[in-house]
Amino acid sequence: MKVRHNVRAVLLDEGRLVFLRRGWPGGSPYCTTVGGGVEPYDADLEAALRREVMEEIGATIGAATEFLTLTEPGGKVTVVQHYFRADVLDLDPDRRGGPELDDPDIGDFSPVWVALDASALAALELQPPELAGYLCEQATTWGGA
């Protein structure tokens, strides 16, 4: 069985969390983390994470710490999602440049800032639900960091 690794960033920016709001014409919008697939040319998971964050929102990040791994078994491909926590050092949407920006079939995605608060997180349509639950549990702890 083939295994595909993805990296996902839960970003902190001046005490708020940064997610991507995704939406398609006729579809229900939802929020997710910044990130994507690890490519063969990425030196490691963290290098892939830094590339994805720059491509999708034009941000550079500080130290990244993996805090959660979710495995999604599939028919031919098992997907392993590696979730990292990192602080945003700077963000400039003009630096975005991933292939997502050139493919209209992928839909719209834009950064959204959310209070680091369990009730604010619960109000989002944050995907996947396992991550949303984890972050709601950690909101108080992370808020003190």
Side-chain angles (χ1 to χ4, degrees):
M1 174 166 300
K2 186 174 179 179
V3 177
R4 170 90 175 142
H5 291 271
N6 289 345
V7 288
R8 314 301 269 154
V10 174
L11 299 169
L12 291 139
D13 186 16
E14 298 182 6
R16 296 179 299 162
L17 294 166
V18 182
F19 296 108
L20 283 177
R21 182 173 311 278
R22 299 289 314 264
W24 291 266
S28 298
Y30 67 94
C31 288
T32 189
T33 51
V34 174
V38 176
E39 301 297 341
Y41 53 81
D42 291 319
D44 55 26
L45 294 175
E46 189 171 333
L49 182 76
R50 292 178 184 285
R51 177 184 50 75
E52 286 287 342
V53 170
M54 180 58 71
E55 285 179 2
E56 292 189 353
I57 65 171
T60 55
I61 57 174
T65 304
E66 189 170 356
F67 68 89
L68 181 66
T69 304
L70 298 176
T71 301
E72 303 166 2
K76 294 184 179 182
V77 179
T78 295
V79 179
V80 180
Q81 302 279 1
H82 300 271
Y83 289 89
F84 290 82
R85 173 184 170 176
D87 290 323
V88 173
L89 300 179
D90 64 84
L91 188 147
D92 180 354
D94 290 338
R95 294 189 304 207
R96 296 180 351 159
E100 303 87 357
L101 300 176
D102 299 325
D103 186 349
D105 292 333
I106 291 181
D108 296 330
F109 59 99
S110 56
V112 59
W113 283 258
V114 179
L116 183 50
D117 174 83
S119 61
L121 286 163
L124 287 178
E125 289 295 322
L126 182 60
Q127 297 297 322
E130 299 89 346
L131 175 65
Y134 180 91
L135 292 177
C136 283
E137 292 172 8
Q138 297 299 317
T140 303
T141 303
W142 284 19

